[in-house]
Every structure is written in structure tokens, then in C-alpha cells.
Amino acid sequence: MAKIAYILLCHKDPDAIIRQAEWLTDAGDCLSIHFDARARSGDYLKIRTALANNPNVVFSDKRVKCGWGEWSLVQATLNAVQTALETFPRATHFYMLSGDCMPIKTAEFARRYLDSHDADFVESFDFFQSDWIKTGLKDDRLVFRHLFNERKHKALFYASVDMQRRLGLRRPVPPDIKVQIGSQWWCLRRRTIEAILDFCDARRDVIRFFRTTWIPDETFFQTLVRHLVPEPEIETRSLTFLLFTDYGMPVTFYNDHHDLLLGQNFLFARKISSEAAELKERLGRLYAQQDISFQISNEGRKLYEFLSGRGRVGERFAPRFWETESSLGRERELMIVVCKKWHVAKRLLDRIRKVTNLPAISYLFNEEDTPLPDLGGIQSSLRKRTRHRRALMRMLFDHFETDRLIVCMDPGNLDLMQDFQADQSETRILEMNCRFADDYLIGHARRVGLAGDQTSAATLERLLPAIRNDILGESDRIRDAGFSRYGRISETDDPHRSAEALRNFLGISREQALKIASMENLFAD
């Protein structure tokens, strides 16, 4: 009978990882864990300690610092697979999982299914001929070398692509392989895994090629399986049920999706919300049960398309059946820097990024050209961003693969602050109080259309007090709103006082906070 070794790539939520490991191994299967080397060392130690006496759990011998779209994700997978192969000699299948995946069938059902299908399950479509990639770069993923992380160094990433395109530095694909693309959530037989690892040792040229492709976890295993395994032994599908929105983001499942998930012709589902504790508990306990029959209706994908499609013609069910929750996520932290002088807030954000490495976005609800990732169009205009602000913010958390995000807002965005403050997530607000010289206020009046180059000095003199009072009034309204997690720093504060406010706002050490607060010319015009 099939014995599954799960390959688990994860980077957060150690308690959930521990429970997931216990549920899977209680049924007799194995687990090889790779915990991102960028993650908190305390979280990793907690997982290792909790699972130290579980003989069916092993940890990757080599941990890798992972970055979205990088080769590091493939390398982490290979490391975990190698460890599993050596540790679990009786494992017949190797199944890729993330911390957001949960079983929707029993182990008994999964083993019977794999026993009756002598095949490798992996999405693998022709990279150049298929339409698997819906938006963004396609051929450029392969034919150019990608040395920068698109999320961390966006400007360098696209400048590098543009330079290679202008100089004609296209490179050929290794001639004897045909690149495939598909979901990274595969289930492969032991002999296929062994063939892949042998291929990696023998063909360093192919490894070098994929090391500098973009998003290789969607092409590497998919290509090698097609290269090494006869066509009749491949089923071009994933055994993990997942859906994508019109914006190309994965659909999240909640507590009320339990019955729907069990009816799908898949073994696992992704993504299960971190807030869906009841659903996780039910699915986790389901895996070890026996003699359970499943009514496979497999209507999930069509049902989602139907229900989400009705919203486009004004026929959305009320309350919404599918999107039962619009929270950013109970475990997420949204930190809002509020400042009338946008250049001052941006300067602070740059400093915070350098000291803490937290993802931060400047005035996304105020400036049309704020650099944002491609989220399928929801980010394309200020009107869309504001109207779909919670959906936009959820996508940004998912895009950066983080539970902590910093954004900037103008003091005039009080309604947005109140909306986010009312969310289940933890929202913190830091207001930056600046001094406003007359010259700055005159420039502000011209920027917002209250004055022009030809406006007389007498008119400006009468206008300045009103503008100053309006700015002060915005600040007063923010303070009067009674936000529970509100702090402020002022241009007149000494660095130690500002550091204390920054420490509370960012949840960082005093040393880090003082390093940020001590920067020269923070409030300079």
C-alpha cells in the first residue's frame, strides 16, 4: 500500500505547523519540513522541540533563505526531498504541501487512490504554447537572466530585463528539454523523485539555466517530470484543490466551506484561512479516520465561477455566500503612517525598510503612480484601490507573503483609517506632526489647486490661515477618533521620545527604534 512522505515548505505560524504535522503522522505517513531560514529562529526551535520525538517527522538538513519567484524555493524543495528520500526508505510517494494546505480526504482514501493510479500527478503544460500564464511576463521568464528579486528590488528587476531586451541578450533553452509550466503542488512517485535527483547531479547546465529563471517552482519539476517520465505515466493535474480569483490571487476557504471541500475530487485543499480554526480542526482529524465514504460532486470550481460572476451583473447573493469574511486576517498587522508632508513619511518609510526589512508602501490611496505589484487590475486606479481597499490590502499581504505591512496615508483619509481600525486585524497608526512654514503652505495650495502661479500675494495671505487651520483640523479629528493603537512623533521631539513611539508602533527593539529616530533631516523640506 502507498506510503506518503509529505514535503512541507513553511515560514510562519509554528503552532499550526505542529498541529499539521501531528495530524498527518497520526495516520502513519511521513513529513519532511523545510522552515524558511529567513523566519524567526524561535519559531523554528519551537517546531523542532515539539516534534523531536516524532519518528515520522524529519527536518531538512540544509535550510535556505527563501524568496518568492527565486530559485531558493526550488532548492529548499530539493533539500527537503533529499532528506525525506534518505530518511523514509518505505515512502512510495512524495507530496508537496504548504502550511496553508489541509487534507480533504482520509489517509485511507488517499492511499487507495494512489495505489489505483500508477502515475505522477503534476500540472505540466507547454510553456510557450499554453495560456497557463494569464498576466505579466511570459517568455521573458526564461530567455533573460533574473538576478534580482522582483518583490524586493522591483526597479532593478525591471531595469535588468529592459537592458537585456535592448542589448539582445536572449539566451537559448537547453536544447534537449521542453519547458513545461504548472502548479507547484505535485505528488510524485519514489522512482520519479530518484530520477530527478540523479538528473540534477548529472546536468548542471540545466540547473544553471533554472537558477536564473523567474518563478522556477512553476517550471522546474514540471519540466523534469515530462523529460524523464513516459507520457502515459503522467496525470496532468494536481491533487490539491485550489481556485484563483479574476485577479490571479488564490481563493481562501473558511469554516462554512467544509462540505464543499469534501465533495471535490482532490486529496488536499489550499488555501485554508488562518482564521478558520474550526475547519482546520475538522479536516485535521478527518485524515486519520477510517471507513469514511465521500460523495464526489466536484462542483467547486463551477460554483465559485457562477457565484463570483453574478456579482458582475448586480446579482450578488446577500449575504455573500462565498466571501463570508472581508477581514484582512486576525493575525495580520497593518501599520499606517499618517503625515501631511508626503516626502517626510516616505523618508521615514525608507529608513524603516533598511532597519527592519518590513514591506512598506507609500501613499497608495493618494498617489496614482505609487509603485504596486500587478494584482490583476484592482491596483490600476485610485478609485479602484479605495473602493476595494480591504481586498487590495489582503492581496498585498499575500503578495509580500507577510503578516506585517506598513502603508502611508494622508491625514484627510480618516474614513480609511476608521475602516481598517474596525477590522479584525491589528491596525496601528503613527501620526507625524510637522511644522508648516508659509512657503510650504503656498506650495501646498498650488499643488491641490487652491492657488496658481498668478495668485496675488494678498490673496495668498488671506488663504494661508484657512489652509493651516484645515491641516490642524485634520490632525485633531484623527486624535478625537479615539483609535486604540495610536501614537505620534513630532518634529520638535528629541530622538529618544520619537524612538519610544516608533518602538510601540513597529514592535521592534529600542536599539532599532533609536536607529530610525536618529536619522538626520527626517522632517526637512
Side-chain angles (χ1 to χ4, degrees), residues 28-77:
D29 287 313
C30 309
L31 187 66
S32 178
I33 299 175
H34 180 280
F35 196 73
D36 193 343
R38 292 187 190 277
R40 300 171 182 173
S41 58
D43 289 348
Y44 180 59
L45 180 61
K46 183 175 185 179
I47 298 172
R48 291 212 65 145
T49 302
L51 300 174
N53 296 322
N54 191 327
N56 286 341
V57 175
V58 67
F59 291 84
S60 179
D61 293 334
K62 298 178 182 178
R63 292 174 63 203
V64 177
K65 292 183 178 180
C66 297
W68 186 89
E70 296 179 357
W71 168 259
S72 54
L73 288 174
V74 177
Q75 188 62 62
T77 305

Side-chain angles (χ1 to χ4, degrees), residues 88-141:
F88 307 122
R90 295 178 57 219
T92 60
H93 293 76
F94 296 78
Y95 195 126
M96 238 338 246
L97 291 177
S98 77
D100 295 324
C101 297
M102 289 298 294
I104 55 175
K105 297 292 184 294
T106 61
E108 184 180 62
F109 182 100
R111 291 167 190 154
R112 282 201 307 264
Y113 189 90
L114 294 176
D115 282 340
S116 63
H117 295 75
D118 186 19
D120 295 305
F121 293 86
V122 57
E123 276 193 358
S124 50
F125 303 98
D126 186 281
F127 184 92
F128 295 101
Q129 300 300 321
S130 71
D131 62 349
W132 197 87
I133 299 174
K134 301 298 183 184
T135 60
L137 301 181
K138 185 174 180 179
D139 294 10
D140 293 352
R141 289 191 185 192

Side-chain angles (χ1 to χ4, degrees), residues 196-332:
I196 289 173
L197 294 179
D198 289 343
F199 181 91
C200 291
D201 290 336
R203 294 295 303 275
R204 305 310 297 176
D205 60 318
V206 175
I207 301 299
R208 285 193 297 271
F209 173 79
F210 279 105
R211 276 184 179 275
T212 52
T213 60
W214 188 40
I215 321 182
D217 54 320
E218 293 180 351
T219 55
F220 181 77
F221 290 96
Q222 297 79 352
T223 299
L224 265 57
V225 171
R226 285 283 174 189
H227 185 75
L228 298 168
V229 177
E231 174 77 24
E233 297 180 26
I234 300 174
E235 292 207 20
T236 310
R237 58 167 296 218
S238 171
L239 292 176
T240 298
F241 179 60
L242 68 162
L243 297 173
F244 288 92
T245 68
D246 292 345
Y247 298 115
M249 302 300 293
V251 171
T252 301
F253 299 107
Y254 296 95
N255 290 333
D256 56 351
H257 293 132
H258 174 269
D259 293 343
L260 180 142
L261 292 176
L262 263 59
Q264 305 314 304
N265 190 25
F266 295 85
L267 304 184
F268 279 75
R270 185 180 188 274
K271 297 173 92 172
I272 308 298
S273 170
S274 58
E275 301 168 49
E278 177 187 341
L279 178 61
K280 284 193 170 187
E281 184 72 22
R282 294 177 72 183
L283 295 178
R285 295 190 181 281
L286 168 73
Y287 190 67
Q289 294 179 26
Q290 295 182 342
D291 301 324
I292 304 293
S293 60
F294 296 91
Q295 300 297 320
I296 307 297
S297 56
N298 220 34
E299 84 294 355
R301 199 173 306 279
K302 289 184 178 179
L303 179 61
Y304 174 72
E305 291 172 355
F306 170 70
L307 293 175
S308 58
R310 289 176 70 84
R312 286 190 282 275
V313 292
E315 297 177 3
R316 172 78 74 177
F317 287 103
R320 294 183 178 185
F321 175 78
W322 191 268
E323 297 171 5
T324 56
E325 299 187 31
S326 59
S327 169
L328 305 187
R330 193 180 299 275
E331 297 178 359
R332 286 173 166 169

